[in-house]
Every structure is written in C-alpha cells, then in structure tokens.
Amino acid sequence: MGAPAAGKCSPTWAQPSPDGRHVFVACNASNEIVDVDVVSWTLARRIPAGTGVYNLALTHDGTRLIATNKRAQSVSIIDVASGRELARIPTTRRFPHGAVVSDDDRYAFISVEGYGSEPGTLEMIDLRRLERVAALDVGQMAGGQYQHHERQELRQPDQAEVQRVVRDLVHLPADRHRLHLHGQRGEK
C-alpha cells in the first residue's frame, strides 16, 4: 500500500460517530480513513484502509467501522478503538459501493455495482463471524442504499431467508438501475 502522499485525500464519504465527537473521512486517493476530532477540529489519527476506500458505515454502538474498498473489490471491517482491520472480505463483483448496518449491529449490507451488463449485488456480511453470509443479485448499477427503520433480526441466515427479507425491504425502480432499502431512520 505504501505511505500516503501528504495532502492527497480525495474524500468520498464522511461518517459521524454515534456520539458526534468524531467524523471518519474516507480518503480514496491515499487509501486511508482520517479520524477528525470534532470537539477540537483536529486530526486524531489516520487509519490504513483498502485500496480506493470509498464509503463508510459505523455500527450503532460505534465499535466497528465498515469501509468499502472500491479499487480493491473488498470490504474492510475495522475495530474503531484500535484502528486495526479485523477482516478484509472480497466482494463477488468489482465495485463495492454503499454500506449500511442493521439496527442490531449484527450485519452490514453492501451494495456492489455490476460492470457492463452484470447485475449489481446486495451482499450481507455477518459482523460477528466477519464473513459474507449471503449475496443477492439485483438490478444493474446497485449503488446507494439506506436502512429500513423497523428492526429485522436474522439468526443463522440461509439464502432463502435473506432473499425473503431483502425482497420485503428492497425497492427496485422500473429501470432497475438503483438499489434502495426502504425507510432510513427518521424518514417517514
């Protein structure tokens, strides 16, 4: 990966911590996540990330940071306290994009863009086992997503169970080019 070039961040996402004291910024060009202390507006630390870190999500308890690595075709799970990468999980398709975390902090849902005529994919990562537990093909160019406001708990999911839950939560517009999960927190 090499040392990041000074001043070469190229930010692609900013994710506030649950307590509002920090903001994590994905620096796509330098392959790192910068942790900004919002109380003092200072750089708290630099966290190494995968190549082309792109989007971020945090567990609601603030202990895990999920980072999509767009040029590395992977997702990093990072321990926030130590800044250590716990796992780097390859994605089934080339371009991981968005990330959201289930209300119970058990799963991360990753939207992965297809390439050319490939379908996009919604991947489900178990944040305890640190592995992908399901993948579901959706429309082309699956990009953004947001979390359903009702709590959905899955225990030891199988593909059929994941497809049922995703079918209930996913809206694919007529053009089938964008993936959206219904009902972001606070939205009506």
Side-chain angles (χ1 to χ4, degrees), residues 55 97-100 111 113 141-146 178-181:
N55 280 342
H97 188 87
V100 294
S111 59
E113 299 172 11
M141 297 301 294
Q145 57 175 309
Y146 54 94
R178 291 192 183 260
L179 167 70
H180 298 281
L181 295 181

Side-chain angles (χ1 to χ4, degrees), residues 52-183:
V53 62
Y54 197 73
N55 280 342
L56 304 173
L58 271 166
T59 54
H60 302 88
D61 65 7
T63 62
R64 299 285 183 263
L65 180 62
I66 294 82
T68 60
N69 304 311
K70 199 156 191 172
R71 292 190 311 270
Q73 192 176 334
S74 64
V75 175
S76 294
I77 311 300
I78 298 166
D79 176 74
V80 172
S82 68
R84 186 174 69 87
E85 183 179 60
L86 301 173
R88 186 170 298 176
I89 302 162
T91 56
T92 56
R93 302 220 187 272
R94 294 184 203 185
F95 303 114
H97 188 87
V100 294
V101 176
S102 62
D103 282 347
D104 62 0
D105 287 342
R106 176 70 190 267
Y107 300 101
F109 293 91
I110 309 298
S111 59
V112 185
E113 299 172 11
Y115 179 76
S117 64
E118 292 177 341
T121 304
L122 178 66
E123 298 193 10
M124 182 178 179
I125 295 173
D126 186 315
L127 295 174
R128 291 184 195 152
R129 294 173 22 199
L130 300 175
E131 65 184 13
R132 182 181 51 247
V133 293
L136 178 67
D137 284 349
V138 294
Q140 292 175 324
M141 297 301 294
Q145 57 175 309
Y146 54 94
Q147 186 174 356
H148 189 276
H149 70 285
E150 292 179 21
R151 188 179 193 107
Q152 293 285 337
E153 292 194 28
L154 298 176
R155 289 179 174 64
Q156 300 177 5
D158 61 21
Q159 190 69 20
E161 185 176 15
V162 171
Q163 286 179 348
R164 179 191 57 75
V165 170
V166 169
R167 185 177 52 250
D168 291 345
L169 300 180
V170 172
H171 166 67
L172 295 175
D175 65 8
R176 298 184 61 86
H177 287 275
R178 291 192 183 260
L179 167 70
H180 298 281
L181 295 181
H182 294 291

